[in-house]
Amino acid sequence: MIPELATTWYIDHGNPAVQDYAQDAVGDATDRTDQAIALFHRVRDGIRYDPYGISYDPEAFRASAVVAAPTNWCVPKSVLLTAAARHLGIPARLGFADVRNHLTSEKLSASMGTDLFAWHGYSELLLPDRAADDGSQRWFKLSSAFNIELCERFGVRVLEFDGTDDALMHPYDRAGNRHMEYVEQRGSFDDLPLDEMLADFREMYPGSFGEASAASAEDAGDTAFSAGA
């Protein structure tokens, strides 16, 4: 089995809920890139980004659990996108980087003690390179974290994917202010390295954020990330 197509405990695309989610997202599309585009948009906008609902329970990171969540954050959303792609036969894996978010809310920065987000997650999909137009393939990096409503609220550019370039966070917002800085790449993984990731969280965020966060932005009183703000 090709590792980037395998079913794992976290990327459990053998689960019927994940399979139904993937099939519903792509509809009648048969082209691999068109399917990837449909999956990307479904995960990006179908699950609202909430940086507060971080669980240390491994079950919460399984694609079959993420599929039922109305809100989530970058890592679980990437696990779901990766699993849905694998179900459709698209080789997919997880990528991680440490990023500095210059537009985080004051409340979230205070909870974390920093604007450095370790282990920012995204998906990597192996697809035909439409820009090359020579039949070649390459790995595309797709960050499905921020839903379109959140981008509009923060005044940042919405990430789009059309099969010609990566969909990674823009360095500047629409007004020209610094938005996202990729500080360090952590590499590509065939499965979720949860133990390593959570160990780093506990070390880097020793306050309450590092152990367990509020259940949601609403519970934390952070209107910047709350629904309908």
Side-chain angles (χ1 to χ4, degrees):
M1 170 66 72
I2 299 171
E4 295 88 356
L5 288 175
T7 299
T8 71
W9 195 81
Y10 292 107
I11 307 173
D12 57 342
H13 60 85
N15 186 284
V18 177
Q19 295 175 349
D20 290 346
Y21 180 91
Q23 294 297 152
D24 183 65
V26 303
D28 296 330
T30 57
D31 178 83
R32 283 176 56 192
T33 300
D34 289 341
Q35 290 178 334
I37 292 170
L39 289 177
F40 170 75
H41 285 92
R42 175 63 64 89
V43 176
R44 187 194 71 184
D45 295 329
I47 301 176
R48 182 171 61 83
Y49 177 77
D50 188 332
Y52 286 93
I54 296 179
S55 171
Y56 275 24
D57 180 0
E59 288 282 351
F61 291 86
R62 304 187 77 181
S64 56
V66 180
V67 74
T71 64
N72 229 308
W73 53 294
C74 62
V75 172
K77 291 183 72 169
S78 298
V79 169
L80 177 57
L81 177 54
T82 301
R86 287 188 184 183
H87 167 65
L88 296 172
I90 301 172
R93 62 196 185 193
L94 296 168
F96 296 93
D98 293 353
V99 300
R100 192 172 302 282
N101 188 346
H102 293 268
L103 292 185
T104 185
S105 69
E106 292 184 7
K107 196 170 192 69
L108 183 58
S109 289
S111 298
M112 296 175 61
T114 178
D115 63 356
L116 182 68
F117 287 71
W119 292 92
H120 166 69
Y122 51 87
S123 299
E124 297 181 349
L125 275 58
L126 182 64
L127 297 165
D129 188 355
R130 287 183 171 178
D133 196 28
D134 60 2
S136 61
Q137 297 187 104
R138 78 172 182 88
W139 288 98
F140 287 89
K141 298 179 179 181
L142 309 180
S143 178
S144 57
F146 293 166
N147 52 291
I148 190 170
E149 295 86 359
L150 187 69
C151 291
E152 292 172 348
R153 183 184 304 173
F154 274 87
V156 302
R157 296 181 178 90
V158 179
L159 285 180
E160 296 290 354
F161 175 61
D162 63 1
T164 63
D165 203 356
D166 295 330
L168 291 178
M169 297 297 182
H170 297 291
Y172 298 95
D173 66 9
R174 291 199 298 261
N177 302 309
R178 287 304 300 267
H179 168 41
M180 192 75 75
E181 175 187 356
Y182 285 81
V183 177
E184 180 181 354
Q185 293 289 335
R186 288 184 178 264
S188 305
F189 298 80
D190 295 329
D191 200 6
L192 178 65
L194 185 64
D195 290 344
E196 183 179 356
M197 184 180 75
L198 295 185
D200 284 346
F201 282 1
R202 291 188 177 96
E203 180 179 350
M204 296 178 67
Y205 313 120
S208 60
F209 183 90
E211 289 301 324
S213 66
S216 67
E218 286 81 3
D219 291 337
D222 192 340
T223 58
F225 293 101
S226 300

